[in-house]
Amino acid sequence: MQQRKLGSSGLTTAPLVLGGNVFGWTIDAPTSFDVLDAFVDHGFNAIDTADVYSAWVPGNKGGESETIIGKWLKARPGMREKVTLFTKVGSQMGPADAVPPHKGLSARWITTAVEDSLKRLGIETIDLYFSHWPDPDTPYEETLRAYEGLLQAGKVRAIGASNLDADQLGESLRVAKAHGLPSYQVLQPGYNLYDRTPFEGALADLCQSEGIGVVVYYALASGFLSGKYRSEADLDKSKRGGGVKKYLTPRGLRILDALDAVASAHGASSAEIALAWLMAQPAVTAPIASATSTAQIASFARAAALTLTADQLAALGDASRPE
């Protein structure tokens, strides 16, 4: 499968990254193993997770996704060399009143959290380590200096940031340059055919001008772009339905109509077209998408093989143009 460069990180990824947020949440370990096996078998290589996945599930405490991935790697000799692993630091881990805080991007917490992630994953080096959220209480210099130490120690290969806006990313780059520190090489923003405004414009332009790789999450707008939610009556179809109601707008339905038309022309699903649209965006390296079945992995492979025409891209762009 075609490999794409992840900015200046030295890493590459197939055109789609597997989201690990569902491991230990909507699918158990055996099903997660099946999904991971199918993902690699179809020629994909990059897996995205975070230390906090999936702390929001009753009875969980965070680290469940990393632990499942680690057990899968241990059960598959030689697999570590075939996959590129992303994880993140910064979200709340453990009690909110812990002292010192178990969150953020301080050098103290990064140093602790990276060891925890390495242990759960059962690996010596994280390929791409993301700052999960902006931390207004920690200067960029402190965070980047901590990452410099991890890079030099071989605990991570590259660094990225998630959820930064253009001003925040620009400032982090300025600080890195001013102090001779490593800079973020990959950005992970939310972006899809419906939610275009936060990324398009200044942030996308900055990533392109600075050669920053971009892997986007919410690629299918919590499943809305799959086309299975077309009225409020459909919201009970999955555990994620509650997050879809906001997309049931006249513009959202126009997007679904446009996806239907392009999907019909290709004999594809709406979700496959929505992913192919993201893969065709010049500022995007790869979308992140999660799967709860091997059938969905096969669908990802079909999406990666699609080539949308200029007219089809234009039609999707017009239908989804922000109001």
Side-chain angles (χ1 to χ4, degrees):
M1 186 174 288
Q2 175 202 20
Q3 292 288 305
R4 298 178 173 188
K5 291 182 179 179
L6 271 167
S8 61
S9 68
L11 303 172
T12 62
T13 178
L16 184 140
V17 176
L18 182 64
N21 60 316
V22 296
F23 303 153
W25 174 25
T26 55
I27 56 175
D28 59 16
T31 306
S32 299
F33 279 30
D34 289 343
V35 165
L36 286 160
D37 287 341
F39 187 73
V40 174
D41 287 345
H42 277 86
F44 296 106
N45 67 308
I47 303 163
D48 175 82
T49 187
D51 56 4
V52 75
Y53 298 165
S54 47
W56 55 86
V57 178
N60 284 5
K61 60 182 181 180
E64 289 77 17
S65 175
E66 289 181 332
T67 299
I68 287 173
I69 294 169
K71 290 180 177 178
W72 172 72
L73 289 172
K74 186 176 181 180
R76 305 288 188 271
M79 186 61 74
R80 178 65 186 99
E81 290 69 37
K82 297 179 181 180
V83 296
T84 300
L85 297 176
F86 308 168
T87 193
K88 311 179 194 75
V89 59
S91 292
Q92 180 71 53
M93 292 289 288
D97 58 355
V99 179
H102 291 184
K103 67 174 184 177
L105 300 175
S106 68
R108 180 204 60 79
W109 179 240
I110 287 173
T111 301
T112 297
V114 73
E115 296 296 341
D116 292 342
S117 287
L118 287 167
K119 183 177 180 179
R120 286 189 290 262
L121 289 164
I123 60 177
E124 296 182 356
T125 305
I126 294 164
D127 295 310
L128 180 52
Y129 202 36
F130 283 96
S131 296
H132 205 160
W133 300 97
D135 180 0
D137 298 323
T138 304
Y140 289 116
E141 182 182 357
E142 178 180 343
T143 298
L144 297 176
R145 201 168 293 284
Y147 286 147
E148 180 181 48
L150 298 184
L151 289 161
Q152 291 174 346
K155 294 183 185 295
V156 303
R157 289 193 173 92
I159 58 172
S162 185
N163 300 301
L164 296 186
D165 62 26
D167 289 341
Q168 291 166 330
L169 179 59
E171 178 63 10
S172 78
L173 296 175
R174 186 196 67 76
V175 169
K177 184 175 182 180
H179 295 277
L181 294 169
S183 61
Y184 291 128
Q185 299 153 304
V186 183
L187 180 72
Q188 186 174 142
Y191 182 55
N192 56 62
L193 199 52
Y194 189 105
D195 299 303
R196 294 175 55 180
T197 304
F199 177 63
E200 290 183 358
L203 185 54
D205 292 345
L206 179 60
C207 289
Q208 287 190 284
S209 66
E210 296 294 327
I212 294 172
V214 177
V215 290
V216 301
Y217 68 93
Y218 283 157
L220 294 176
S222 298
F224 173 72
L225 297 174
S226 70
K228 69 179 181 180
Y229 304 100
R230 294 176 187 263
S231 70
E232 291 194 24
D234 294 328
L235 299 181
D236 292 332
K237 289 184 176 180
S238 78
K239 294 180 181 180
R240 304 179 73 179
V244 176
K245 184 177 179 179
K246 63 183 178 181
Y247 297 114
L248 293 173
T249 65
R251 175 172 169 261
L253 296 177
R254 285 198 303 273
I255 293 172
L256 294 186
D257 287 343
L259 285 170
D260 287 344
V262 178
S264 177
H266 284 274
S269 69
S270 295
E272 289 161 7
I273 300 302
L275 291 171
W277 180 84
L278 281 171
M279 294 177 202
Q281 300 309 299
V284 174
T285 309
I288 300 168
S290 56
T292 57
S293 69
T294 57
Q296 289 176 330
I297 298 296
S299 178
F300 294 166
R302 291 192 294 272
L306 285 171
T307 300
L308 304 183
T309 68
D311 287 346
Q312 290 168 343
L313 290 169
L316 291 168
D318 289 344
S320 63
R321 198 172 308 284
E323 296 171 342

